[in-house]
Amino acid sequence: FFQKTLNAVKSWFTLFGWSKGQNPISVPHSLRRDVCIVQLTIAQEKSFKRKVDKDKGFYEMLLHLNGQPIPGIAASQSLPPHPVERMFQLHWQHSELLSFLKSQGAYLSHVMPEFLLAPEDYEIWTEVNTGLRVGSMRSSGKLSGRQIFILDKRAFETMSKRAWTDVLLQIYKVFVLPRVSSRIIPDPSSLESLQNMPGIKSEPLCSNIYSRYERAVLVWLNKNYEKNRKIVWKDSQRGGIPPMRWIVNFDQDLLDGLVLAAQMAAYCPYLIPTHFIKMYTNPRTHEQFLHNSLVLVNALHAINLDIDIKV
């Protein structure tokens, strides 16, 4: 499940994350590189500078998605030549990034700034915080009193991949999902069937799982499914019209493909006789779930929306 989530994240940010076309990314390697790789200046002894494509850096991506830079962090800046000082500046940048995202509504309390460092910088961070370099750094006041987690190389890579994936997911949630319009035009023909459907509250604090924008998507899924289920499967030979349901999450409630098919049918009704009529409307076996998934994937292929979709 995590690998599928990671693949979806990489695909979306590769295709839509930057302002000037596609930019293939890998998680966490290219992200750590874009904020951490430096090159010597002409003087070579005074400072390091980031070595990234002008329009393809991580903070350029944030600028594109957010519309404004992170306060206090420039898209292009110098890094100190001393490895320890460079590590502390990168650690500070990651701390500011996490604080900024959390101030925008991101859920990232489990992500520590050090998990976003490159492996060599994390090794320096562990040395400093375990006392191997404390003598040279104590006077600078860099050390903090909070609990630290020392990971071996393999565990760190796993943690870093998960941390960067969660950062990208939360960036999508706080900067992209809010663009979803909440404007709803009532459809008189569907009002009667929607009256008995439980509502989903829109208040910001009514859920500690989904944001108001994610709940707006859930409302959209509920309305389209209830409006279209009797239309899409009125002539179904594989279970009849599916029953009313209350869609409250993005995993279990979408597993059988029927909800997603109802959304597509709302905008592409010509797919109903060619694809969706073949779906099982009350699937019970793994084979029937797989059958519905294949029908849905074929429908996405038919309208050229198969963005890196694999079964």
Side-chain angles (χ1 to χ4, degrees), residues 159-308:
M159 183 65 75
S160 184
K161 179 183 291 187
R162 181 60 185 266
W164 277 107
T165 301
D166 289 345
V167 166
L168 290 179
L169 285 169
Q170 293 299 308
I171 286 174
Y172 181 89
K173 187 183 80 170
V174 300
F175 295 146
V176 180
L177 270 186
R179 302 174 190 172
V180 176
S181 174
S182 60
R183 181 173 60 91
I184 300 176
I185 302 176
D187 182 354
S189 64
S190 64
L191 288 179
E192 182 178 355
S193 62
L194 296 177
Q195 285 178 352
N196 297 324
M197 186 177 70
I200 295 178
K201 295 182 179 180
S202 60
E203 289 80 2
L205 300 180
C206 73
S207 172
N208 63 348
I209 299 176
Y210 295 132
S211 68
R212 55 181 293 196
Y213 307 108
E214 290 169 305
R215 295 198 299 277
V217 175
L218 287 175
V219 170
W220 172 69
L221 291 173
N222 275 283
K223 290 185 179 295
N224 268 339
Y225 175 76
E226 181 56 31
K227 176 182 176 181
N228 292 304
R229 65 185 177 90
K230 296 180 180 179
I231 299 174
V232 177
W233 292 287
K234 64 179 181 178
D235 298 320
S236 172
Q237 302 298 315
R238 295 187 174 182
I241 296 174
M244 175 186 289
R245 67 170 70 176
W246 191 26
I247 304 153
V248 296
N249 58 61
F250 294 102
D251 43 18
Q252 293 295 322
D253 291 341
L254 304 184
L255 280 179
D256 59 12
L258 297 175
V259 175
L260 295 178
Q263 313 311 308
M264 293 180 63
Y267 303 96
C268 305
Y270 53 85
L271 293 173
I272 296 175
T274 59
H275 293 78
F276 302 143
I277 197 68
K278 304 174 184 177
M279 299 177 75
Y280 288 96
T281 57
N282 189 26
R284 297 183 180 276
T285 66
H286 292 296
E287 290 77 13
Q288 291 175 344
F289 275 85
L290 176 60
H291 172 86
N292 282 3
S293 298
L294 291 173
V295 170
L296 195 62
V297 169
N298 288 334
L300 290 168
H301 280 293
I303 58 176
N304 296 318
L305 278 181
D306 50 328
I307 303 175
D308 198 29

Side-chain angles (χ1 to χ4, degrees), residues 32 114 117 119 122 151-160:
R32 296 188 309 209
E114 52 269 22
L117 293 170
Y122 178 76
L151 308 175
D152 59 35
K153 290 184 178 180
R154 183 174 181 179
F156 170 74
E157 283 296 339
T158 300
M159 183 65 75
S160 184

